[in-house]
Amino acid sequence: LVQVFPNPANDQLTVRVVGNTSLITIVDAQGRMVHSQRGSGSIATSHWTNGVYTLRVQSEAGIHHERIVIQHH
C-alpha cells in the first residue's frame, strides 16, 4: 500500500509505504530523476518547477507508479 499526499503538492510531499520498501524515485516529465530515497518520509518540493512528476516505489511486492502534481501558489 502506497499513500502520497497532498496531491497536488506545494512545498512538501509525504510518501508512506506499508511493508519493506527498497527504493522511492521521482522523475519529471522529461524522464530526469529529481529525487531518490529509501523508505517512507517527507520530500521537500519547494525547489521543483510546477508540473507533473512520476513517483515510482520499488518493493518486494512489486513496482508501483503514481502521478503527482507540483503546483506552487
Side-chain angles (χ1 to χ4, degrees), residues 19-63:
N20 188 10
T21 304
S22 298
L23 187 61
I24 295 170
T25 55
I26 299 177
V27 296
D28 64 14
Q30 287 75 41
R32 295 179 296 230
M33 185 168 54
V34 296
H35 183 80
S36 178
Q37 74 181 43
R38 294 201 175 275
S40 300
S42 295
I43 301 166
T45 59
S46 59
H47 60 285
W48 298 3
T49 58
N50 287 346
V52 178
Y53 294 78
T54 302
L55 170 83
R56 180 178 185 260
V57 178
Q58 182 178 345
S59 68
E60 292 176 348
I63 298 174

